[in-house]
Amino acid sequence: MTKLDLKGLKITWIGLLLTLISGVLNGIGSQNTMSMSSGTVTAAQSTSPASALGGILYIVAFIVTVVGLSMAKNLSEHFKKARNLMIIVFIVSFVIAVIAVSVVAVQIMNMTVTGSNPVSAGLIIFLLVVVVILIALGLLTYRYLLKGCQETAVLCNENELGEKFLKMWKLFLIGIILVFAGVVVLFVGIIGATAAGAASFAAVIGAMAPGVVIVIAGMIIALVFQILLLVRIAKLCSYDGTEIGAGEKPEEETSDSLY
C-alpha cells in the first residue's frame, strides 16, 4: 500500500507557527501611546526592534508556508488553492503597504508646506474596499486549508478529526468579523468624539472603549483558532510514513458543509 508523505504538511505547520509568533512580536513591538497637548489628544506610534523582527519573521513564515503547501498539494487540491490565494494576498498587501507609506509621506509634506493635512475621502474608501477584499481572500485561504486538512484526515482514517477541521471555519469567521467590526466601531468612536473640535483624553478613551473590547474579543477567538489549528495539524503529521487507509475522500461540500 502507498505510504503517506506528510513532509509538506509538516513544513506548513512550521510556517503557521512562525506566523503566529510574528503576530505576537508585532503586537508587542507596536505600541499606541496617547498624549495630550493644548487639550487635544494625539496618538503616537512607536516601533521597537520586536516589531521589526516580527516583520522579517512574517516574510520567512510566508515563504515556509507556501513551500509546505506546494509540497502538500499531492494530498489535496485544496492545499494548492490555499497556496495560490496566500500568494495573491501577500502581493496585494505589499502593494497596499507601499501606497500607505507613500500617502503618509505626502501628508507629511503637505503639513510642512501648507500646515494642513487633508485626507481624500476617495482614498479612504478605496483602502477600505481593498481591506475588505483582503479579509475575504484571507478567509477563503483558510477555508481551503481546512478543507485540505479534512481530506488528509480522511486518508488517515481520522474522519472525526476531519469534521473538527471543518467546524473550525465558523470559529475563524467569527473572530475575523469581530476584529473588523471592532476596528470600525473604534474609528467611528474617535471621529465622533473629535468631530466637534478638541476632545478630552477621557472623552476619546470612552469613545474608543467599545471598539477596543470588540477587537480584543475577536483577537482572542482568532488566537484560539490558530492554536487549535496547530494542535490538530500536528496530530495529522504524526501519521507521516504510515500506510494510507481505506478512507475515501469526502464528497464535495454543500453550501453549509463548513458550518
Side-chain angles (χ1 to χ4, degrees):
M1 297 178 68
T2 304
K3 290 187 177 182
L4 280 173
D5 182 3
L6 301 181
K7 292 182 179 63
L9 197 58
K10 288 181 178 180
I11 295 175
T12 300
W13 184 89
I14 294 174
L16 293 174
L17 177 61
L18 293 177
T19 300
L20 178 60
I21 295 174
S22 71
V24 173
L25 289 174
N26 285 326
I28 294 174
S30 297
Q31 301 173 350
N32 286 322
T33 58
M34 304 297 294
S35 62
M36 291 186 65
S37 176
S38 303
T40 302
V41 178
T42 59
Q45 182 77 17
S46 61
T47 303
S48 72
S51 182
L53 178 60
I56 296 173
L57 191 59
Y58 175 77
I59 296 176
V60 174
F62 164 76
I63 296 173
V64 172
T65 305
V66 167
V67 170
L69 290 174
S70 297
M71 294 175 62
K73 64 183 180 181
N74 63 306
L75 298 170
S76 171
E77 187 69 17
H78 293 290
F79 286 133
K80 180 180 178 181
K81 295 177 181 178
R83 178 204 63 185
N84 293 342
L85 282 175
M86 188 172 291
I87 293 173
I88 293 174
V89 170
F90 182 84
I91 294 174
V92 175
S93 298
F94 178 79
V95 172
I96 293 302
V98 172
I99 293 176
V101 171
S102 301
V103 170
V104 170
V106 171
Q107 295 301 316
I108 293 175
M109 291 178 61
N110 287 338
M111 289 182 65
T112 303
V113 176
T114 65
S116 62
N117 187 25
V119 179
S120 170
L123 177 61
I124 294 177
I125 294 175
F126 169 75
L127 290 177
L128 285 175
V129 170
V130 173
V131 168
V132 171
I133 293 175
L134 286 175
I135 290 175
L137 291 177
L139 288 170
L140 194 58
T141 298
Y142 275 94
R143 170 182 177 275
Y144 285 131
L145 176 61
L146 291 172
K147 185 62 179 176
C149 289
Q150 184 219 15
E151 292 190 349
T152 304
V154 170
L155 291 176
C156 301
N157 283 331
E158 282 281 358
N159 294 342
E160 184 178 350
L161 179 61
E163 290 301 317
K164 288 181 179 179
F165 275 114
L166 291 187
K167 291 179 181 178
M168 288 175 62
W169 163 252
K170 189 174 183 178
L171 180 67
F172 183 61
L173 183 63
I174 293 173
I176 295 301
I177 290 177
L178 283 177
V179 171
F180 181 74
V183 171
V184 172
V185 172
L186 183 65
F187 278 101
V188 169
I190 294 175
I191 294 173
T194 58
S200 67
F201 180 81
V204 174
I205 291 299
M208 291 172 59
V212 171
V213 171
I214 296 174
V215 168
I216 292 176
M219 291 178 66
I220 291 175
I221 292 176
L223 178 61
V224 171
F225 165 82
Q226 290 178 309
I227 294 174
L228 280 176
L229 182 60
L230 287 171
V231 170
R232 289 172 179 172
I233 290 181
K235 183 175 181 179
L236 272 184
C237 291
S238 67
Y239 287 91
D240 186 32
T242 60
E243 293 182 344
I244 296 178
E248 297 179 356
K249 280 194 174 184
E251 297 179 358
E252 288 298 318
E253 72 253 33
T254 57
S255 59
D256 60 347
S257 63
L258 295 178
Y259 298 86

